Amino acid sequence: MRPLFPGLLLLWPLLLCPVAPTAPGPLGRPGFLRLGTRGSGGSPGHRPAPAAPIRVPGGARGAGFCKSRPLDLVFIIDSSRSVRPLEFTKVKTFVSRIIDTLDIGAAATRVAVVNYASTVKIEFQLQTHSDKKALKRAVERIAPLSTGTMSGLAIRTAMEEAFTVQAGARGPSFNIPKVAIIVTDGRPQDQVTEVAARARAAGIELYAVGVDRADLRSLRMMASEPLEEHVFYVETYGVIEKLSSKFQETFCAEDPCLLGTHRCQHVCVSDGDGRHHCACSQGYALNADKKTCAAIDKCALNTHGCGHICVNDRNGSYHCECYEGYTLNEDRKTCSAQDQCALGTHGCQHICVNDRAGSHRCECYEGYTLNQDKKTCSVRDKCALGSHGCQHICVSDGVASYHCDCHAGFTLNEDKKTCSDIQEVRKLVSIEDACGCEATLAFQGKVISYLQGLNTKLDGILEKLRANGLGQIHH
């Protein structure tokens, strides 16, 4: 008889005695892994009926059924040349027996199988089969690959290709344990220490099952801690199927959160020793019954469907609103860009121009400049506006500033706008003695009289010009 390996669990009772159907949830036995009891955690708040132990259809020996916590479970099975065809059949029976003991489904436990020898083949992914019958048929069809024992490559393939969301694994928010069971009867032909450590660091719980010629040191390097709960050894493939009851006890629990008997509407949190409490998802509060939940902020749930803005109402409901420049559509959720220029709410002093994106911009009339507020306008050139009042010439002095000037032969009057003929003014000056007071007054009177007469003449000339222009139009 082979000597016992120290530190391994040698299942003599399983080898020598018939295995009775196992009731779910034996937490008291030493050396068994208790999933979900290492710290508080939650399970999805579905409410199935309490599961009682039942016999598996078809009379599978020693296989009972338990309401197990959902798992992402990947079997990594050695099918190298050292595993004879009949022995490989026993491995497949072992896998099927474990499947029999679990609650299989898309929302429960998902199963994948990685087959390896010198090459690695993913027989089916976690998302491929969602019921036991299809799973067991797929396991039955698996064929051995023959040569080599590349255990490290197999673990890496499982980690990088099987335990991915794309392949059907559930993300961290689901709080679903990732478990791998590797079955081998030889010594790995590649390095397993580093890749196994990476897998464990990624949150994958590794169980190592050794058969016959399996290398003790390699099993211990692959498995998770504590080793006495994750490393198994059997003498022959003929009795490996008996290990299925061991994994049944490992994966079953009496915790109401794991059994699904908690009746929490949202989240069940395990407190240990079979105790639990209910919690609610974000945006909800626990009701007085400590099980159901009521919404406290429907906008925070991000399920409101508002295209722009969600506004909470006092009665616990909500309504949708739109950003400035948009109008709420008839569905009371989505928004359409409005024409602010047409609405007259644009605030532009001069001109409002609609943009394609549903927004608008302000512009100014010719001769004006848009101010920094992008709405009001300032005069850029008062001469160009034609409102300056200069009789002859308007000269711009910069933004909003100007002065009047006269044509050659004329001089600017005191009003800084009108002009007088220089020769006429000189004649008036020469007639009178500007040094005398009376002469000055007379000179001023004559100038005023002259200017008035000049304006009268100009008015007459303008009338004649208008008349001639109208006559030409009529002709």
Side-chain angles (χ1 to χ4, degrees), residues 1 5 34 36 38 71 213 464:
M1 179 177 293
F5 292 122
R34 300 167 180 82
R38 295 181 176 180
L71 305 172
R213 296 169 296 276
K464 289 179 180 181

PDB file of all heavy atoms in Angstrom, residues 1 5 34 36 38 71 213 464:
ATOM      1  N   MET A   1       0.855  -1.189   0.000  1.00  0.00           N
ATOM      2  CA  MET A   1       0.000   0.000   0.000  1.00  0.00           C
ATOM      3  C   MET A   1       0.886   1.234   0.000  1.00  0.00           C
ATOM      4  O   MET A   1       1.901   1.302   0.654  1.00  0.00           O
ATOM      5  CB  MET A   1      -0.927  -0.004   1.224  1.00  0.00           C
ATOM      6  CG  MET A   1      -1.840   1.233   1.284  1.00  0.00           C
ATOM      7  SD  MET A   1      -2.987   1.172   2.676  1.00  0.00           S
ATOM      8  CE  MET A   1      -3.997  -0.191   2.162  1.00  0.00           C
ATOM      9  N   PHE A   5       0.537  10.541   2.492  1.00  0.00           N
ATOM     10  CA  PHE A   5       1.209  11.825   2.349  1.00  0.00           C
ATOM     11  C   PHE A   5       0.828  12.709   3.512  1.00  0.00           C
ATOM     12  O   PHE A   5      -0.351  12.939   3.762  1.00  0.00           O
ATOM     13  CB  PHE A   5       0.766  12.516   1.034  1.00  0.00           C
ATOM     14  CG  PHE A   5       1.262  11.809  -0.186  1.00  0.00           C
ATOM     15  CD1 PHE A   5       0.358  11.336  -1.137  1.00  0.00           C
ATOM     16  CD2 PHE A   5       2.619  11.632  -0.381  1.00  0.00           C
ATOM     17  CE1 PHE A   5       0.820  10.700  -2.262  1.00  0.00           C
ATOM     18  CE2 PHE A   5       3.074  11.015  -1.528  1.00  0.00           C
ATOM     19  CZ  PHE A   5       2.170  10.539  -2.460  1.00  0.00           C
ATOM     20  N   ARG A  34     -16.353  26.265   4.223  1.00  0.00           N
ATOM     21  CA  ARG A  34     -17.698  26.799   4.399  1.00  0.00           C
ATOM     22  C   ARG A  34     -17.816  28.054   3.541  1.00  0.00           C
ATOM     23  O   ARG A  34     -17.380  29.129   3.940  1.00  0.00           O
ATOM     24  CB  ARG A  34     -17.966  27.127   5.871  1.00  0.00           C
ATOM     25  CG  ARG A  34     -17.857  25.905   6.769  1.00  0.00           C
ATOM     26  CD  ARG A  34     -17.800  26.337   8.231  1.00  0.00           C
ATOM     27  NE  ARG A  34     -17.706  25.196   9.127  1.00  0.00           N
ATOM     28  CZ  ARG A  34     -16.581  24.565   9.408  1.00  0.00           C
ATOM     29  NH1 ARG A  34     -15.460  24.973   8.839  1.00  0.00           N
ATOM     30  NH2 ARG A  34     -16.572  23.542  10.229  1.00  0.00           N
ATOM     31  N   GLY A  36     -19.010  31.367   2.073  1.00  0.00           N
ATOM     32  CA  GLY A  36     -19.874  32.427   2.569  1.00  0.00           C
ATOM     33  C   GLY A  36     -19.799  32.647   4.052  1.00  0.00           C
ATOM     34  O   GLY A  36     -20.515  33.496   4.576  1.00  0.00           O
ATOM     35  N   ARG A  38     -16.797  33.194   5.716  1.00  0.00           N
ATOM     36  CA  ARG A  38     -15.539  33.834   6.092  1.00  0.00           C
ATOM     37  C   ARG A  38     -15.733  35.318   6.401  1.00  0.00           C
ATOM     38  O   ARG A  38     -14.858  35.978   6.878  1.00  0.00           O
ATOM     39  CB  ARG A  38     -14.527  33.683   4.962  1.00  0.00           C
ATOM     40  CG  ARG A  38     -14.151  32.238   4.733  1.00  0.00           C
ATOM     41  CD  ARG A  38     -13.147  32.106   3.631  1.00  0.00           C
ATOM     42  NE  ARG A  38     -12.728  30.726   3.480  1.00  0.00           N
ATOM     43  CZ  ARG A  38     -11.856  30.322   2.589  1.00  0.00           C
ATOM     44  NH1 ARG A  38     -11.301  31.178   1.777  1.00  0.00           N
ATOM     45  NH2 ARG A  38     -11.527  29.053   2.499  1.00  0.00           N
ATOM     46  N   LEU A  71     -22.350  29.669  -7.702  1.00  0.00           N
ATOM     47  CA  LEU A  71     -20.910  29.634  -7.941  1.00  0.00           C
ATOM     48  C   LEU A  71     -20.645  29.821  -9.426  1.00  0.00           C
ATOM     49  O   LEU A  71     -21.489  29.507 -10.274  1.00  0.00           O
ATOM     50  CB  LEU A  71     -20.311  28.281  -7.524  1.00  0.00           C
ATOM     51  CG  LEU A  71     -20.530  27.763  -6.112  1.00  0.00           C
ATOM     52  CD1 LEU A  71     -20.003  26.343  -6.020  1.00  0.00           C
ATOM     53  CD2 LEU A  71     -19.819  28.661  -5.113  1.00  0.00           C
ATOM     54  N   ARG A 213      -0.503   8.649  -9.005  1.00  0.00           N
ATOM     55  CA  ARG A 213       0.875   9.128  -9.077  1.00  0.00           C
ATOM     56  C   ARG A 213       0.979  10.652  -8.915  1.00  0.00           C
ATOM     57  O   ARG A 213       2.025  11.236  -9.215  1.00  0.00           O
ATOM     58  CB  ARG A 213       1.471   8.727 -10.432  1.00  0.00           C
ATOM     59  CG  ARG A 213       1.572   7.221 -10.628  1.00  0.00           C
ATOM     60  CD  ARG A 213       1.909   6.873 -12.049  1.00  0.00           C
ATOM     61  NE  ARG A 213       0.875   7.278 -12.987  1.00  0.00           N
ATOM     62  CZ  ARG A 213      -0.205   6.569 -13.269  1.00  0.00           C
ATOM     63  NH1 ARG A 213      -0.409   5.409 -12.638  1.00  0.00           N
ATOM     64  NH2 ARG A 213      -1.101   6.989 -14.125  1.00  0.00           N
ATOM     65  N   LYS A 464     -35.429 123.628 -55.399  1.00  0.00           N
ATOM     66  CA  LYS A 464     -35.314 123.543 -56.863  1.00  0.00           C
ATOM     67  C   LYS A 464     -34.728 122.202 -57.293  1.00  0.00           C
ATOM     68  O   LYS A 464     -35.160 121.611 -58.279  1.00  0.00           O
ATOM     69  CB  LYS A 464     -34.443 124.693 -57.380  1.00  0.00           C
ATOM     70  CG  LYS A 464     -35.114 126.040 -57.288  1.00  0.00           C
ATOM     71  CD  LYS A 464     -34.193 127.147 -57.795  1.00  0.00           C
ATOM     72  CE  LYS A 464     -34.867 128.531 -57.702  1.00  0.00           C
ATOM     73  NZ  LYS A 464     -33.983 129.627 -58.211  1.00  0.00           N
TER      74      LYS A 464
END
